[in-house]
Amino acid sequence: LIGDDAMGQPKYAAETCVTGKWAGAYASRLTRNDLFCSTVFYRDFRRQMLERVTYESTYNLVSCLHKRVPIAEVPDFFRDECDDMIYEIFRLLRGNLAVALLSGAEERLAAYARAQRRSKQDDKLPYLSASSPYRNRFFYDVSMQMKQRGFPDPAPTHTEYFEYGLENDLFDP
C-alpha cells in the first residue's frame, strides 16, 4: 500500500487485476510475492476497461482541440461536449460490442478528470496520438464501418472532432 489516490481509494504499487479461468491461481501467486492483484469477472473487467478507454479518448480529444487545456479543467469548461461525446460512444459500444456500461459513468469520468488537478498529472500536457488503434482510432474506425454499410454514424461528435484534429494536425505523431 502506497497511500490513497485522488479519489480516496487505496493505491497499491504494481496494482493489477486478473480475469478468466486461472484468475484465482494467478492472483494467489502474485499475492504471495507481495503484489496486489484483484480478481474480477470478465464482464466487469470489460466494462471498466471500456469506461477507461472512453475517458482517455473523450477528455484528451476535447482537451487537444481546445488548445491543450489541462484535463482537470475540461469538465469545468467543456462538460457538455464531453457528455455528448460520451453518450454517443456508449451507444456505439452498446451497438457494436454489445456492452452496456454502468449508469453514472459520465459523472465518474468527470470526477476522475477533476481529480487530476490534485495530482502531478495536471501539469502535463495531454498527448493524443492519431495512430493509436486502442483509443480514438477504434471509435473512428467503427463509425467509418457503420457509414460504409449505410448506417448513420453512431458517434458523429467524436467523428467530427477527430477529423478536425487530423485535418489541422493537432495530434502528436
Side-chain angles (χ1 to χ4, degrees), residues 113-151:
R114 281 192 193 97
Q116 300 304 315
R117 179 175 293 129
R118 292 178 255 149
S119 69
K120 294 183 186 210
Q121 297 227 356
D122 193 39
D123 297 333
K124 298 178 183 173
L125 288 175
Y127 293 106
L128 189 61
S129 173
S131 63
S132 175
Y134 304 109
R135 292 197 178 100
N136 285 297
R137 180 62 72 177
F138 168 75
F139 299 128
Y140 182 71
D141 289 344
V142 170
S143 291
M144 292 300 105
Q145 289 171 5
M146 297 295 279
K147 287 169 80 174
Q148 287 174 354
R149 293 179 182 154
F151 294 103

Side-chain angles (χ1 to χ4, degrees), residues 41-116:
F41 185 63
Y42 177 71
R43 184 180 58 227
D44 298 329
F45 169 78
R46 192 169 163 188
R47 281 182 179 150
Q48 291 172 5
M49 176 191 66
L50 289 170
E51 189 174 302
R52 176 67 186 210
V53 170
T54 302
Y55 161 77
E56 290 175 354
S57 299
T58 304
Y59 282 90
N60 282 322
L61 182 61
V62 171
S63 170
C64 192
L65 266 57
H66 290 287
K67 301 182 181 176
R68 295 190 184 260
V69 173
I71 296 293
E73 296 177 13
V74 171
D76 296 335
F77 300 108
F78 308 108
R79 175 76 186 265
D80 292 338
E81 292 177 41
C82 291
D83 283 351
D84 291 344
M85 198 178 306
I86 288 168
Y87 290 134
E88 292 173 0
I89 288 174
F90 285 178
R91 186 176 57 219
L92 178 146
L93 291 171
R94 201 170 31 254
N96 190 52
L97 297 178
V99 174
L101 300 180
L102 298 176
S103 63
E106 306 82 21
E107 289 81 18
R108 280 194 302 279
L109 297 181
Y112 185 72
R114 281 192 193 97
Q116 300 304 315

Side-chain angles (χ1 to χ4, degrees), residues 7-39:
M7 302 303 288
Q9 301 294 321
K11 190 73 175 164
Y12 297 92
E15 182 176 359
T16 189
C17 70
V18 291
T19 186
K21 182 178 180 179
W22 303 106
Y26 193 75
S28 67
R29 288 183 183 139
L30 290 174
T31 304
R32 270 195 312 257
N33 290 307
D34 296 327
L35 294 171
F36 179 77
C37 181
S38 61
T39 305

